[in-house]
Amino acid sequence: MTTFQLLLLIVAGGVFYLFFKQLFSGNHPKRGVDFEAKVADEQIGGINRPDKTFSTPTIEPTRIEQLLSMADEAVEKQDYDEAKKALGSALIIEPKNIDALQKMGYVSMQTKDYTEAKEVFEKLIAIDENDDMAHDLLANALHKLGDEAGAAKHHEKAITLDAEYAPHHFNYANTLYDLGRKKEALVGYKKAYALDNTLSVAKEMIEKLGADHE
């Protein structure tokens, strides 16, 4: 592996990590939640009898929520075996739980279980064929497994679904670079950098590949 390939691997891993860090932190947007009402002492007065107050009942987390929380804590400690156990249990209860599948995909990639990651990302696509992130992540897993035709297909699908998302172009360019298709990789790096000029490594690759083709 060359120095540039190692650098690309590190940066691609960084992009991958940032996406899933947000996922595991629970800070990603949740559809259907418009606002959260808060009152002092967690009490609400009756509409007709404001002098009376009613304590807000404690809502116990569901078993799925407990298991996902356990997985989050395990990932934070980089205890991926425990994370897999918790996520596996969650998926027994709800086989199509999106959060559990996304997190299992991440854990599988971290443990280099690319076959399992492939199966997980395929399940996400079966649930929503327009999930561009699932297509991109599946492409990365297929590339690791040596299925370059499949990787290209899903990289291109991810770009078709969201052509304005720079990491899709960056990840595809990395795959093309690994395959020695440097002219095509250069196009991808240029597109990624045009969309997000904070991708400094994309700029470095543009300069390197541009110099190679002068």
Side-chain angles (χ1 to χ4, degrees):
M1 177 180 289
T2 67
T3 301
F4 274 99
Q5 286 175 316
L6 177 59
L7 183 60
L8 286 175
L9 180 63
I10 293 171
V11 173
V15 172
F16 188 68
Y17 168 76
L18 289 173
F19 169 75
F20 281 100
K21 181 180 180 181
Q22 185 181 39
L23 173 66
F24 277 90
S25 71
N27 290 330
H28 57 293
K30 295 180 175 59
R31 292 188 177 89
V33 179
D34 296 321
F35 66 91
E36 180 180 356
K38 293 183 178 180
V39 294
D41 302 321
E42 294 188 342
Q43 294 183 330
I44 303 173
I47 295 175
N48 296 323
R49 293 293 304 276
D51 57 308
K52 291 186 176 290
T53 58
F54 304 90
S55 297
T56 303
T58 301
I59 300 175
E60 294 295 331
T62 65
R63 182 55 179 158
I64 287 289
E65 291 171 337
Q66 291 175 336
L67 289 166
L68 292 177
S69 178
M70 290 167 60
D72 293 349
E73 292 173 5
V75 167
E76 188 69 25
K77 299 174 184 176
Q78 296 188 349
D79 188 346
Y80 298 119
D81 288 336
E82 285 302 310
K84 274 194 174 185
K85 290 177 184 177
L87 293 168
S89 296
L91 289 169
I92 289 174
I93 299 171
E94 291 186 20
K96 294 184 178 182
N97 185 284
I98 301 298
D99 281 351
L101 286 169
Q102 289 176 334
K103 293 177 181 183
M104 181 64 89
Y106 170 79
V107 171
S108 298
M109 291 294 286
Q110 291 298 108
T111 57
K112 299 183 179 181
D113 190 345
Y114 302 123
T115 298
E116 182 176 56
K118 168 182 173 290
E119 293 172 354
V120 170
F121 296 135
E122 286 175 337
K123 288 177 181 177
L124 284 167
I125 291 171
I127 294 170
D128 180 4
E129 64 180 11
N130 293 321
D131 184 343
D132 59 294
M133 286 302 304
H135 281 286
D136 195 43
L137 295 169
L138 175 57
N140 290 340
L142 291 172
H143 177 52
K144 294 292 186 181
L145 292 169
D147 182 357
E148 304 305 349
K153 173 185 173 182
H154 288 283
H155 275 307
E156 290 168 2
K157 181 65 173 178
I159 291 171
T160 298
L161 290 169
D162 190 352
E164 301 304 308
Y165 188 58
H168 290 340
H169 297 276
F170 183 80
N171 289 335
Y172 193 16
N174 285 344
T175 295
L176 293 169
Y177 183 83
D178 285 346
L179 297 175
R181 295 162 60 180
K182 295 183 179 180
K183 288 184 178 179
E184 294 170 85
L186 178 57
V187 173
Y189 289 127
K190 286 182 176 179
K191 182 63 175 178
Y193 189 68
L195 290 169
D196 183 355
N197 60 15
T198 66
L199 290 174
S200 58
V201 177
K203 182 180 180 181
E204 291 173 16
M205 291 306 298
I206 291 168
E207 293 170 351
K208 178 186 183 304
L209 292 175
D212 288 346
H213 289 91
E214 287 180 353

